[in-house]
Amino acid sequence: MGNKYNPYGVEERRSRPRTETNFFRVMLALNVIGWLALVVTLVLFHFARPDFISGVQEYWGIEGDTGWSAEYVKAMQIMLQVCLLVSLVSIVMRARRSRRQGDQFGFNLFVLASIAVISLITLATTMGAAT
């Protein structure tokens, strides 16, 4: 089975490695789902934003979409809420599970939650003023 002691010199009492537990797999899946939700939000942002009207297009009279797409903005908002919910659930699960000094804290979940909160606030203030 290998070394029975962790780096802190305390005997390891876990019967199997933490990476083989169902709890770890669920947390990993939630983490991946949260980051994929953020990537989907970025794709939705690409389709939601107005078209860039260059000087040549304006000169030739070619029209483009100058407003935000309401459907994509609503989908972005839903995906950001999903992203925030998943990251907060993962943070709470990790906080309840991690009690040892050597356990990882999951800084990426705080980054994900921060990005989602800032994006939702920005979306609410800018789109609320535009409509």
Side-chain angles (χ1 to χ4, degrees):
M1 181 123 151
N3 189 2
K4 292 173 51 177
Y5 295 96
N6 63 15
Y8 299 103
V10 179
E11 184 177 349
E12 182 64 51
R13 294 179 299 172
R14 293 177 177 150
S15 59
R16 59 184 173 164
R18 119 191 276 183
T19 57
E20 294 179 9
T21 62
N22 288 333
F23 186 83
F24 181 81
R25 290 180 181 148
V26 168
M27 289 214 9
L28 183 64
L30 286 175
N31 200 350
V32 169
I33 289 169
W35 283 102
L36 284 177
L38 186 65
V39 170
V40 169
T41 303
L42 290 173
V43 171
L44 289 171
F45 173 77
H46 171 72
F47 289 112
R49 66 183 177 180
D51 293 336
F52 174 72
I53 308 298
S54 68
V56 174
Q57 286 175 314
E58 192 173 326
Y59 178 76
W60 288 103
I62 300 173
E63 294 189 23
D65 189 16
T66 58
W68 287 82
S69 172
E71 298 85 23
Y72 286 118
V73 169
K74 183 68 176 166
M76 276 176 38
Q77 186 178 16
I78 291 170
M79 289 306 295
L80 284 169
Q81 290 171 351
V82 166
C83 181
L84 180 61
L85 179 70
V86 166
S87 63
L88 290 178
V89 166
S90 294
I91 288 171
V92 170
M93 286 176 65
R94 186 176 294 260
R96 288 216 180 268
R97 176 72 173 192
S98 299
R99 294 184 298 256
R100 295 183 178 177
Q101 187 177 6
D103 287 343
Q104 302 283 334
F105 195 64
F107 182 70
N108 67 342
L109 294 171
F110 288 101
V111 171
L112 182 62
S114 300
I115 291 171
V117 166
I118 291 169
S119 299
L120 282 170
I121 290 171
T122 304
L123 195 61
T125 55
T126 58
M127 290 300 140
T131 57

